Amino acid sequence: VKNLTPITDDPLVTYRKVAEGRGDDQSILRKLTRRIRGCYRWYDKRKPELHVSRGAFHPSFTDDEKKALIHCYVKAPRCFAETKKEIRRLIDVCPYCTILSTQTLDHYLPKHEYPEFSVLSQNLIPSCGTCNFPRDFRTKAGERALIHPYFDTIPQERLLVATVRMVGDTADVTFSVDQSGCKDSAPGLLYKRHFELLKLKERYRKWAMSANGVPTIFSASMVWARGKSCAEVRQDLEIQASLDEPRRGANDFRVALTRGVAGSDDYLDYCLGSMK
Ligand SMILES: [Zn+2]
């Protein structure tokens, strides 16, 4: 997960511009301007927490108003394309998973439930297609489960663990989250829920394993380890992880995998043995 700094448009100016460009819906949208301003204030006040419960805040829109607000995004006028482009330019890699490149914009608060935020830039997250699938941003119990890349605190402690082991002649990698070492429990818990919601356990594993069951890290770059002892390779990998960590973050899955490989005697023995 990666933090991002949102673009600095004036959201109400953006809304007005979009509304003016929306042909038939123009008059409905114009009449909603004052209420939208109130909604934007609510969003602003509730960040970074964005508690799931709306509390007393429940703007009720008629079906026509809802449709007009959703169409602001779905049938956006040309003037909104520039805003979208600007948001897409914030980052190349999806901040939710950090595996794939960004292809879409995700509505953090979904537009069908929160149509008032359909064109609010702070609610639009550049994201890959896989993370932006139809899903809730909450657990079934109603707790927030998706990290907001603009406003949430991403834990700096190492929570993501990759365990590498040999099963017969095949290497296997398992990713898990251990948030017990997190000083502040709330961000650690949110990180764990985020990991579960976006199925990162399976997606990281898939990334780590090549077709023949060898973690990609070695199949791509085994040459450097040739002729070295197990201890030397382990040390090299630990150095590599320490160099990558400040740049990629403590919970980057590649860094976790490097550490996982370094910590697996079975796997290192197997790799070095197969090179002889
Ligand atoms: Zn993603």
Side-chain angles (χ1 to χ4, degrees):
V1 194
K2 265 196 170 357
N3 268 133
L4 291 180
T5 309
I7 65 163
T8 53
D9 64 337
D10 179 333
L12 206 63
V13 171
T14 304
Y15 173 80
R16 283 204 177 104
K17 257 201 283 187
V18 173
E20 288 313 306
R22 275 298 304 138
D24 296 347
D25 292 338
Q26 228 181 63
S27 62
I28 298 181
L29 293 167
R30 226 183 259 157
K31 276 185 213 145
L32 286 175
T33 308
R34 188 193 280 259
R35 287 169 66 196
I36 293 297
R37 181 193 292 145
C39 296
Y40 285 1
R41 282 205 184 124
W42 177 86
Y43 200 101
D44 210 48
K45 244 189 357 217
R46 298 303 282 270
K47 80 190 183 196
E49 278 307 310
L50 279 170
H51 288 298
V52 172
S53 113
R54 282 166 173 265
F57 177 76
H58 247 291
S60 49
F61 298 108
T62 64
D63 285 350
D64 282 348
E65 288 169 342
K66 249 185 218 170
K67 213 158 85 184
L69 287 168
I70 292 169
H71 282 174
C72 281
Y73 185 83
V74 180
K75 299 182 176 182
R78 209 171 287 162
C79 64
F80 192 59
E82 196 42 52
T83 307
K84 279 166 102 176
K85 247 192 240 160
E86 217 184 308
I87 300 171
R88 292 276 297 274
R89 272 199 295 264
L90 289 174
I91 194 165
D92 293 330
V93 66
C94 173
Y96 288 140
C97 66
T98 66
I99 308 174
L100 300 168
S101 55
T102 55
Q103 291 152 339
T104 62
L105 292 180
D106 177 48
H107 286 83
Y108 185 87
L109 297 182
K111 58 184 175 302
H112 288 282
E113 192 180 341
Y114 297 80
E116 64 272 33
F117 302 128
S118 77
V119 290
L120 174 63
S121 62
Q122 297 190 347
N123 193 47
L124 293 171
I125 317 290
S127 130
C128 74
T130 309
C131 287
N132 192 7
F133 65 96
R135 48 149 173 76
D136 206 340
F137 65 104
R138 294 160 284 214
T139 62
K140 286 202 175 77
E143 301 143 320
R144 202 156 63 87
L146 186 67
I147 291 180
H148 197 309
Y150 297 143
F151 306 125
D152 273 315
T153 306
I154 296 173
Q156 297 303 306
E157 298 92 343
R158 277 181 213 153
L159 310 180
L160 184 65
V161 180
T163 308
V164 181
R165 57 195 186 100
M166 293 302 297
V167 183
D169 274 350
T170 313
D172 193 63
V173 185
T174 312
F175 284 88
S176 57
V177 173
D178 175 10
Q179 89 275 24
S180 58
C182 204
K183 268 179 276 156
D184 186 355
S185 64
L189 207 57
L190 180 60
Y191 180 85
K192 193 176 165 77
R193 290 192 199 120
H194 180 97
F195 181 79
E196 284 160 8
L197 180 80
L198 297 180
K199 304 190 184 340
L200 294 179
K201 183 189 175 91
E202 294 78 12
R203 292 170 63 197
Y204 287 164
R205 181 178 186 276
K206 200 171 155 197
W207 176 87
M209 309 278 287
S210 68
N212 59 358
V214 176
T216 323
I217 188 165
F218 263 98
S219 60
S221 57
M222 257 167 121
V223 185
W224 64 269
R226 198 180 289 272
K228 291 191 177 194
S229 71
C230 193
E232 286 169 327
V233 173
R234 179 178 304 118
Q235 201 183 16
D236 285 353
L237 288 167
E238 276 161 5
I239 292 170
Q240 189 59 52
S242 314
L243 290 174
D244 289 344
E245 190 172 316
R247 190 167 49 93
R248 294 186 179 277
N251 293 304
D252 180 81
F253 65 99
R254 297 171 188 85
V255 176
L257 182 62
T258 307
R259 285 193 206 287
V261 168
S264 173
D265 288 349
D266 282 3
Y267 179 66
L268 291 181
D269 282 345
Y270 174 82
C271 285
L272 296 173
S274 69
M275 276 190 270
K276 277 183 187 141

